[in-house]
Amino acid sequence: MVEAIKVLRVRGAPAIGVAGAFGVYLGIKDFSEKESITAFYNHLDEISRKIISARPTAVNLPWAVERIKREARRSGNTIAEKKQIVFDIAKKILEEDRQMCLAIGRHGYEILKIYNTILTHCNAGGFATTEYGTALAPIYYAKDKGKNIKVFADETRPLLQGARITAFELINNNIDVTLICDNMAADVMRKKMIDAVIVGADRIALNGDTANKIGTYGLAVLAKAHNIPFYVAAPSSTFDLSIENGNFIPIEQRESEEIIFCYGKQIAPRNVKVYNPAFDVTPAELITAIITEKGIICQPLKEEIKKNLV
Amino acid sequence: MVEAIKVLRVRGAPAIGVAGAFGVYLGIKDFSEKESITAFYNHLDEISRKIISARPTAVNLPWAVERIKREARRSGNTIAEKKQIVFDIAKKILEEDRQMCLAIGRHGYEILKIYNTILTHCNAGGFATTEYGTALAPIYYAKDKGKNIKVFADETRPLLQGARITAFELINNNIDVTLICDNMAADVMRKKMIDAVIVGADRIALNGDTANKIGTYGLAVLAKAHNIPFYVAAPSSTFDLSIENGNFIPIEQRESEEIIFCYGKQIAPRNVKVYNPAFDVTPAELITAIITEKGIICQPLKEEIKKNLV
């Protein structure tokens, strides 16, 4: 599990938290029940350290592992009981994430059920979470309700999460999906081939400004120009209420190799200068509403976020 | 030369015309001068047919070859004289294209000289024409005048002409170029990293609506939203005055393989549906001005095109 998290076989903050939780259980489940409780705690600490170190910057990973450690110390008397508690908390974390996705799906469905075709960017689906995902949750929820919403998926250069992950997971879930290059979104909007845009979020500021995969901001501007609603779907844990607005969200600049090479194949001059921000910030005023597991946050976002989440 | 045109080693309508013209000369230059004039004409016709068939849809190719054939029949008395005429006309076509690019560069420079950094899409540079190109001509002209305009180049998915051609030719001409993915253009505009956008054109309708590489329309919408001027540079031969507006410009849909594979490497599910238009149409109202070899066509484009080109 440590290796799976390390090499990104598991990606997406919620999915990493759940995987880490079960990783702790896998690490302790065969521990001899004849040993002392202290020895068990030591082993639990060691396993936890290993798992957390697999992805040091992933917030959900230490959160899940620490929660398990805390509960395992607090409850149960024997090692056998404590093992069961570790397993139960891991299952609880899994179930909570599943419920979070489901709630986003349910709330999102109330908005998206009037649409026939939506456009999404990057991947905020089941492969980043436990089941439904965030941005794709309303699509899956709608399908369960018998409403088939078609999806256009941006391929999402440079790392092609839309082509590699979103298209793959939608096909496997029997959702009608059409792949486009990022620069085709405007054409698709102009020709009224989509009714709405829905994306995930990496971080949302107190005023509603939203950081998400590079290209999201451009989509929001294009949606506005074509009178197409633009939705963000994200769990309430994505809100960083310590950040006043999007100007204070740090944007990671990534390596030029990501653009110059595609799967190891050189596609541009080796020595070309490259600008490669991982994220951009969509200003709150371009966002029609934010869909969370607690409900829909409508405009004015700043006031509504303060009222509902602070 | 036939093979070079056929496999797209020569691309871009003006470059194909010039290459075809010299191809005719290469085909007749060793023809025995002891033969009859009729035999020479037959050989010229055969060579011309071969060259035209290399790229049947390229308008500039038959135009250049027919022009040479016409002149070779009209002027000169001996085979030696007619060979010289073929060579002279080929050089004339080359020189006319060079002058056309230079004139676009000169007119464009009058506009672009106030800018420090421009964004371009696809490739409308020297590799599509004889020397300066069209969209890149003002940049080269400015450099000759001692003014260094920096360029941001969209990589231009799916065929990556920006990454493969524009970045390459600008680096080789010592122009400061930064490569971005298409979905980063909005971010670059918002951060005021560019002052203007300039693109080429595949076809321009009577009212100024402009067909160009897919992604151009989105750039024009984004430029408008950010108050950034948006220029088209194209020779007057690009205007199709028989077409009232952009709705009547046919748009080629290309194969899904272009998006699903990148240089032979599969980057999306093999069975995913794909929408892959080669071009989009930018409405005239989003175009600040069109730069031609005859001068600048400003708004209102429809009236100005009628006044200057019809």
Side-chain angles (χ1 to χ4, degrees):
Chain A
M1 189 65 86
V2 170
E3 196 245 351
I5 294 172
K6 199 171 276 180
V7 303
L8 307 194
R9 265 203 283 280
V10 181
R11 63 166 269 289
I16 288 172
V18 172
F22 282 100
V24 174
Y25 177 66
L26 290 173
I28 57 99
K29 83 179 175 58
D30 295 327
F31 189 80
S32 168
E33 293 177 8
K34 291 171 191 154
E35 297 265 0
S36 71
I37 292 283
T38 309
F40 175 76
Y41 285 161
N42 287 342
H43 183 66
L44 178 62
D45 285 349
E46 192 196 320
I47 292 292
S48 300
R49 253 194 316 276
K50 267 191 195 167
I51 287 174
I52 290 175
S53 71
R55 206 68 200 279
T57 54
V59 163
N60 291 50
L61 191 53
W63 169 83
V65 171
E66 293 299 334
R67 180 171 164 190
I68 284 181
K69 270 172 65 181
R70 206 166 49 237
E71 288 291 332
R73 281 177 179 266
R74 192 159 60 192
S75 313
N77 294 310
T78 64
I79 290 178
E81 283 172 12
K82 287 178 185 292
K83 280 182 182 177
Q84 187 59 44
I85 285 160
V86 169
F87 191 40
D88 290 345
I89 300 292
K91 285 189 290 187
K92 200 174 171 191
I93 290 172
L94 170 72
E95 183 58 21
E96 285 170 3
D97 189 67
R98 215 180 69 80
Q99 289 301 329
M100 179 274 285
C101 293
L102 202 64
I104 289 181
R106 194 173 62 244
H107 293 304
Y109 171 68
E110 289 305 315
I111 291 180
L112 265 61
K113 64 184 177 188
I114 61 167
Y115 304 126
N116 292 313
T117 308
I118 64 100
L119 171 69
T120 191
H121 189 69
C122 197
N123 178 263
F127 282 121
T129 63
T130 302
E131 197 172 299
Y132 269 8
T134 54
L136 297 184
I139 314 294
Y140 292 135
Y141 193 92
K143 185 164 182 77
D144 290 347
K145 291 276 174 192
K147 159 89 183 176
N148 291 309
I149 299 174
K150 292 180 185 174
V151 179
F152 274 76
D154 277 352
E155 63 174 7
T156 319
R157 283 280 292 152
L159 294 182
L160 297 162
Q161 290 93 341
R164 296 187 296 117
I165 310 175
T166 302
F168 176 80
E169 83 166 79
L170 290 174
I171 287 174
N172 281 320
N173 286 291
N174 293 311
I175 307 272
D176 186 320
V177 57
T178 302
L179 183 65
I180 59 171
C181 297
D182 302 308
N183 66 24
M184 296 167 187
D187 190 59
V188 164
M189 291 183 188
R190 189 182 185 202
K191 291 180 177 151
K192 302 189 190 305
M193 294 164 77
I194 60 154
D195 305 315
V197 179
I198 187 164
V199 297
D202 282 85
R203 215 192 293 206
I204 304 175
L206 186 61
N207 73 338
D209 289 355
T210 295
N212 191 44
K213 180 67 65 226
I214 185 70
T216 303
Y217 165 63
L219 273 190
V221 174
L222 291 171
K224 180 102 174 178
H226 293 86
N227 278 314
I228 291 171
F230 183 91
Y231 300 103
V232 171
S236 53
S237 60
T238 307
F239 288 80
D240 185 342
L241 304 177
S242 72
I243 288 184
E244 191 65 36
N245 64 55
N247 295 331
F248 300 102
I249 301 178
I251 301 296
E252 173 191 1
Q253 284 288 332
R254 295 181 61 88
E255 294 192 350
S256 57
E257 280 72 13
E258 280 185 359
I259 295 182
I260 295 173
F261 294 87
C262 179
Y263 276 95
K265 173 79 193 175
Q266 189 182 333
I267 58 172
R270 188 66 198 82
N271 57 337
V272 72
K273 281 203 291 186
V274 164
Y275 173 68
N276 185 17
F279 307 103
D280 57 26
V281 174
T282 300
E285 63 264 27
L286 295 178
I287 298 167
T288 309
I290 301 175
I291 302 160
T292 79
E293 80 281 16
K294 296 181 178 177
I296 311 292
I297 300 177
C298 296
Q299 292 284 359
L301 291 184
K302 192 172 178 177
E303 287 68 25
E304 292 297 311
I305 289 168
K306 278 193 179 142
K307 204 192 298 179
N308 293 290
L309 296 177
V310 177
Chain B
M1 190 64 85
V2 169
E3 195 244 353
I5 294 172
K6 199 171 274 180
V7 302
L8 307 194
R9 264 202 284 280
V10 181
R11 60 166 270 289
I16 288 172
V18 172
F22 281 101
V24 173
Y25 177 66
L26 290 174
I28 56 98
K29 83 178 174 62
D30 295 327
F31 190 80
S32 167
E33 292 177 7
K34 290 172 191 153
E35 297 264 0
S36 70
I37 291 284
T38 310
F40 176 75
Y41 286 161
N42 288 341
H43 183 65
L44 179 62
D45 286 349
E46 192 196 321
I47 291 291
S48 300
R49 252 194 316 276
K50 268 191 195 167
I51 288 174
I52 290 176
S53 72
R55 208 65 201 281
T57 53
V59 163
N60 292 50
L61 192 53
W63 169 84
V65 171
E66 294 299 335
R67 180 171 164 189
I68 284 181
K69 270 173 65 180
R70 205 166 47 238
E71 289 291 332
R73 280 178 179 268
R74 192 158 58 191
S75 314
N77 294 311
T78 65
I79 291 178
E81 281 173 12
K82 286 178 185 292
K83 280 183 183 177
Q84 187 59 44
I85 285 160
V86 169
F87 191 40
D88 289 345
I89 301 291
K91 284 190 289 187
K92 198 173 173 193
I93 291 172
L94 170 73
E95 182 58 20
E96 283 170 5
D97 189 67
R98 215 181 71 80
Q99 289 301 330
M100 179 273 287
C101 293
L102 201 65
I104 289 180
R106 193 174 63 243
H107 293 304
Y109 171 69
E110 289 306 314
I111 291 179
L112 265 61
K113 65 184 178 186
I114 61 167
Y115 304 126
N116 292 313
T117 308
I118 63 99
L119 171 68
T120 192
H121 189 68
C122 197
N123 177 263
F127 283 121
T129 62
T130 301
E131 196 171 299
Y132 268 9
T134 54
L136 297 184
I139 316 295
Y140 293 135
Y141 194 92
K143 185 165 180 75
D144 290 347
K145 291 276 174 193
K147 160 89 184 176
N148 290 308
I149 298 174
K150 292 179 184 174
V151 178
F152 274 76
D154 277 352
E155 63 176 7
T156 318
R157 284 281 293 152
L159 293 183
L160 297 162
Q161 291 92 340
R164 295 187 295 116
I165 310 175
T166 301
F168 177 79
E169 82 165 79
L170 290 174
I171 287 175
N172 281 320
N173 286 291
N174 292 310
I175 307 272
D176 186 320
V177 56
T178 302
L179 183 65
I180 59 171
C181 297
D182 302 309
N183 66 23
M184 297 167 186
D187 190 59
V188 163
M189 290 182 188
R190 189 182 186 202
K191 291 181 178 152
K192 302 189 191 305
M193 294 163 78
I194 59 153
D195 305 315
V197 179
I198 186 164
V199 296
D202 282 84
R203 214 192 296 204
I204 305 175
L206 186 61
N207 74 338
D209 289 355
T210 295
N212 191 43
K213 180 66 65 228
I214 184 70
T216 303
Y217 165 63
L219 273 190
V221 174
L222 291 171
K224 179 104 175 176
H226 293 86
N227 279 314
I228 290 171
F230 183 91
Y231 301 104
V232 170
S236 52
S237 61
T238 307
F239 288 80
D240 185 341
L241 304 176
S242 72
I243 289 185
E244 191 66 35
N245 64 56
N247 295 331
F248 300 101
I249 301 178
I251 301 295
E252 172 191 1
Q253 284 288 332
R254 295 181 61 88
E255 294 193 349
S256 57
E257 281 72 13
E258 280 186 358
I259 295 182
I260 295 172
F261 294 88
C262 179
Y263 276 95
K265 173 80 193 174
Q266 189 183 334
I267 58 173
R270 188 65 197 83
N271 56 337
V272 72
K273 279 203 292 186
V274 164
Y275 173 68
N276 184 18
F279 307 102
D280 57 26
V281 174
T282 301
E285 62 265 27
L286 295 179
I287 299 168
T288 309
I290 302 176
I291 302 160
T292 79
E293 80 281 15
K294 297 182 177 176
I296 311 292
I297 300 176
C298 296
Q299 291 284 359
L301 290 185
K302 192 172 176 176
E303 285 69 24
E304 291 297 311
I305 289 169
K306 278 192 179 145
K307 203 190 302 177
N308 292 289
L309 296 178
V310 177

